[in-house]
Amino acid sequence: MNRNIMRRDILIFLLVTIFSIDGFAQKARLGINMGPNFCNLVGRDKIDDSKPRIGFYGGLNVDIPLAYDAFLQIGAYYSQQGVKVETDEFVNNDSLNTSHYIYSEYKYVDYLHIPIFWKQTFGDVYTKVGPYAAMPIRTKSEYKKKWENRDTIIVHTDTLKAFINNLRRYDVGAAFAVGFQTSISRGLDLFFDASYRIGFFSVEQTSETSKKIIRNQCFCVSAGVYFVQRRGSRTYRHH
């Protein structure tokens, strides 16, 4: 089966599942949120001088009441991740009439994230913890070298191509978050949260004799709204 078709079908299935949960689970609430994502690749074999990629993180989630102030939250998110390396170098090269160039290396991977959280509320404040699963849906890896007074040269080296070819087809990890949620109208709640995610596996698939440790790590801040159908109180409490 074509990989793009398979990914599309999985995404459609997940969205249909979320909307089904919202329709049939009593007092379940559909939420939409988005915000900036600050991601890097960390671990023993991390890339030297790497800088976090600032990307986008956003999607849908559903809160399903489990107890007095506890909820199961299931989500589907688009997450832009990866790493950037930028370095200044000075060389003597008379033929290019310059001694300075800047190179930039990009290793970008966009994922579909499926987190499952235990959400606990304390008045208007809440915490979330749970696992996530993810799969890459878009990759980009390139090397740019810019000399003084010359156009940018883009080079796709074997090393960078190898990163994409060896990319693990899934990621599994843990996520933690803290946030604030309050009602702003009869049928709408506003919320803000900050989250941290760390992968359990190396992003590259390697042989048993040359295992690498380079994992996804992300910080995210986001804002969103919940569509409230049946309200107990600002903190979901039932009277």
Side-chain angles (χ1 to χ4, degrees):
M1 179 184 293
N2 183 279
R3 184 174 295 168
N4 292 329
I5 295 177
M6 181 178 69
R7 289 172 178 168
R8 182 198 64 191
D9 292 343
I10 292 174
L11 178 59
I12 292 173
F13 170 77
L14 292 170
L15 294 178
V16 170
T17 300
I18 288 175
F19 280 107
S20 298
I21 291 173
D22 185 61
F24 293 104
Q26 187 180 21
K27 298 184 184 299
R29 301 180 182 195
L30 174 66
I32 300 175
N33 67 298
M34 62 186 67
N37 214 21
F38 305 88
C39 295
N40 208 338
L41 296 174
V42 299
R44 184 188 64 198
D45 302 300
K46 68 179 182 179
I47 302 170
D48 293 336
D49 301 319
S50 63
K51 298 178 180 179
R53 179 190 182 187
I54 302 176
F56 170 81
Y57 185 78
L60 307 174
N61 62 73
V62 171
D63 277 9
I64 304 171
L66 297 179
Y68 185 61
D69 278 334
F71 305 83
L72 176 68
Q73 184 181 98
I74 304 173
Y77 291 92
Y78 184 80
S79 179
Q80 293 182 328
Q81 300 176 205
V83 68
K84 175 183 178 180
V85 180
E86 187 170 274
T87 304
D88 291 308
E89 296 287 348
F90 293 88
V91 297
N92 294 316
N93 194 323
D94 295 333
S95 63
L96 292 174
N97 193 29
T98 184
S99 61
H100 176 231
Y101 69 84
I102 299 174
Y103 80 82
S104 300
E105 182 178 326
Y106 303 87
K107 294 185 177 184
Y108 289 168
V109 184
D110 296 348
Y111 286 89
L112 171 63
H113 264 254
I114 310 297
I116 301 176
F117 287 115
W118 176 276
K119 179 178 178 181
Q120 186 71 45
T121 63
F122 307 91
D124 288 337
V125 177
Y126 62 82
T127 59
K128 300 189 297 185
V129 60
Y132 73 81
M135 65 177 183
I137 55 178
R138 181 178 178 270
T139 59
K140 178 183 178 181
S141 185
E142 67 182 23
Y143 175 90
K144 293 183 179 180
K145 179 183 289 187
K146 184 174 179 62
W147 296 86
E148 289 179 346
N149 304 319
R150 290 174 62 90
D151 294 333
T152 298
I153 303 171
I154 300 178
V155 182
H156 291 271
T157 66
D158 291 340
T159 301
L160 297 178
K161 288 180 180 179
F163 172 77
I164 291 179
N165 293 335
N166 293 332
L167 184 68
R168 190 180 296 276
R169 302 308 176 193
Y170 62 88
D171 188 29
V172 176
F176 313 88
V178 60
F180 174 84
Q181 179 175 337
T182 188
S183 62
I184 56 176
S185 70
R186 183 180 180 85
L188 209 61
D189 277 5
L190 175 68
F191 69 95
F192 305 90
D193 67 23
S195 62
Y196 171 77
R197 307 189 306 276
I198 184 69
F200 293 153
F201 302 104
S202 178
V203 297
E204 292 187 84
Q205 299 184 94
T206 54
S207 66
E208 291 296 324
T209 58
S210 60
K211 285 186 176 180
K212 285 187 176 181
I213 300 177
I214 179 169
R215 301 181 294 164
N216 283 308
Q217 175 184 264
C218 293
F219 298 90
C220 178
V221 290
S222 67
V225 294
Y226 278 107
F227 301 98
V228 182
Q229 296 178 0
R230 298 179 60 184
R231 184 182 298 282
S233 75
R234 292 169 61 179
T235 59
Y236 299 146
R237 292 177 182 174
H238 312 307
H239 298 293

